[in-house]
Amino acid sequence: MVAKIKTGRSLSGAINYNEHKVKLGKAELISAQGYLKDPVNLTFIDKMQRLTDLTNRNERTLVNALHVSLNFAVSENLEKDILQQIADDYMEGLGFGKQPYLVYQHHDAGHPHLHIVTTNIEPDGKRISFHLLANRASESARKQVELTYNLVKAEDQGKQQNVIKKSLEQVDYGKSEIKRSITNVVNQVVKVYKFTSIPELNAVLNQYNITADRGSKDSRMYEKNGLVYWVLDANGNKLGVPIKASSIYGKPTLKALEDRFRLNEVLRKPLKDQVKSKVDKALLTPVSKTDFQKKLKADGIQVIFRQNEEGRLYGITVIDHVSKAVFNGSDLGKAYSAAALINWFKNNGINNNQTIFKKENSDTSAPKFTDNISGSNANGSEGDSLLNILFKEEHQDMAAIGRLQQNKRKKKRKGHSL
């Protein structure tokens, strides 16, 4: 379990943050310790007044808000009552067990986590010191909670990042609750993989017997930018009744996915050369289409050939399960398009395209991947800290958003100069 502590001057800001998540359906209040009402019966004013009543008893203390997040490993699906007990035990160990506090369970990330809001002003107006709270009391409380509830230790938690849960399996129609199975697969795939179109998303989803469908181009659903998810059989045929994207937890609608497309376009760009290097390596020697797929599979890459009903190859999708990047062949370069590869395989890899592939990337060795986790320790003094590892994807998203905004500003300035 990773604990992150923030102190500040705004209780209303901390509560508003969590309440906004509740309104969006991405969080819920599961505990209200020290309140006279059950969580479900508390109004926003109730939540605020219980804490501000204490802060008003010590107006000299300006930094009086404590906002804690407790983050669990992706494999830990804990029941609500266990999460409540964990929050209580942690706050007791932190020295805030007798303070009123609100516990929110969030569902907006790839890992389970709680947010806790309270104040350090006691009923008699005295102040609980924040000094060394994160380094001493929190560390001790965290380790005790990990031991008591047999949780994944903070030191080991980074090893589980950016990996699809082991429980994620192909959806088997008739043997599992369809909506829940689709939700589990779609949310994890959308969170982890870097795709830039519906076909690229489907290249991954199809491996789990699911497809995202906009309907035919002349349909009302397509016109209204609707999206549904189907379960597929072993032959790729749709089964049962489709599930509306808007009814799935997390709402992976077309609008939400289009925002993700733009972000992923930036996120996957640095990974392009790594993927091309692996493809080049597989094409160094004469190779058949099947052998080409086998070679890349051994290198962590899945190649999907898209064919029409007549069996004609019209496209290729490359999925790098190591970096979680998805590319159309043509996105990697002209020499990697379906047309170029068709010609390659017809000649068993012996033609002028061989020169093209060599020129695309002269470094034919397998790409090297750096394990950021191996260089970090519990205190985060080397490499990435555990907290940075845990929120690595969020940092990547924010950095990518920044680059997108920067590109927009450059385009505006360029337009003004014309």
Side-chain angles (χ1 to χ4, degrees), residues 173-174 178 182 228-233 237-243:
Y173 186 79
I178 297 302
I182 289 178
V228 297
Y229 292 90
W230 292 86
V231 175
L232 304 176
D233 63 15
N237 299 312
K238 298 171 183 175
L239 297 173
V241 178
I243 304 296

Side-chain angles (χ1 to χ4, degrees), residues 124-360:
D124 61 1
K126 291 183 179 180
R127 172 180 60 88
I128 301 174
S129 176
F130 285 146
H131 183 60
L132 296 179
L133 190 67
N135 293 338
R136 292 185 180 176
S138 179
E139 279 293 284
S140 177
R142 171 185 67 79
K143 290 178 180 179
Q144 184 58 52
V145 167
E146 289 172 346
L147 185 64
T148 302
Y149 296 93
N150 194 28
L151 301 175
V152 174
K153 295 180 180 179
E155 293 83 356
D156 300 329
Q157 199 161 325
K159 299 174 184 178
Q160 300 192 15
Q161 298 307 307
N162 219 21
V163 177
I164 290 283
K165 291 182 183 179
K166 292 181 180 179
S167 59
L168 190 59
E169 298 176 350
Q170 288 184 332
V171 178
D172 195 346
Y173 186 79
K175 293 186 179 181
S176 60
E177 201 281 306
I178 297 302
K179 186 173 182 180
R180 181 184 302 173
S181 299
I182 289 178
T183 299
N184 186 34
V185 171
V186 172
N187 281 341
Q188 291 192 58
V189 168
V190 169
K191 184 72 176 177
V192 173
Y193 282 85
K194 302 168 187 67
F195 49 86
T196 62
S197 67
I198 292 294
E200 289 177 13
L201 169 61
N202 278 334
V204 183
L205 290 180
N206 289 173
Q207 312 309 305
Y208 300 98
N209 295 339
I210 297 174
T211 190
D213 182 22
R214 292 193 59 189
S216 60
K217 290 187 177 181
D218 58 351
S219 68
R220 180 176 175 81
M221 182 173 72
Y222 190 94
E223 179 186 352
K224 297 295 182 180
N225 292 323
L227 187 70
V228 297
Y229 292 90
W230 292 86
V231 175
L232 304 176
D233 63 15
N235 297 317
N237 299 312
K238 298 171 183 175
L239 297 173
V241 178
I243 304 296
K244 288 184 178 180
S246 58
S247 71
I248 294 177
Y249 181 80
K251 299 189 183 301
T253 60
L254 182 62
K255 184 180 184 302
L257 291 177
E258 286 174 341
D259 291 338
R260 196 75 190 178
F261 295 161
R262 290 188 287 272
L263 183 62
N264 287 343
E265 187 73 49
V266 179
L267 290 174
R268 76 176 188 177
K269 188 173 292 185
L271 307 169
K272 184 175 179 179
D273 287 341
Q274 293 179 352
V275 175
K276 287 172 64 175
S277 178
K278 291 184 180 183
V279 175
D280 290 344
K281 182 182 175 183
L283 291 166
L284 275 177
T285 57
V287 64
S288 67
K289 187 170 76 171
T290 302
D291 289 337
F292 175 63
Q293 288 176 304
K294 287 181 179 179
K295 279 188 174 183
L296 284 172
K297 184 177 180 181
D299 227 350
I301 288 185
Q302 182 177 7
V303 178
I304 298 172
F305 293 105
R306 302 195 300 277
Q307 297 178 316
N308 58 22
E309 295 179 356
E310 289 75 33
R312 181 182 177 185
L313 180 66
Y314 68 89
I316 176 175
T317 303
V318 178
I319 306 173
D320 187 349
H321 292 292
V322 178
S323 65
K324 304 297 187 291
V326 186
F327 292 94
N328 276 328
S330 56
D331 290 337
L332 295 175
K334 186 177 180 181
Y336 305 84
S337 66
L341 287 174
I342 288 172
N343 192 30
W344 178 274
F345 295 128
K346 279 182 179 178
N347 294 277
N348 201 28
I350 305 174
N351 57 28
N352 292 333
N353 282 344
Q354 190 165 5
T355 304
I356 295 175
F357 278 104
K358 285 186 177 181
K359 286 183 178 179
E360 282 283 337

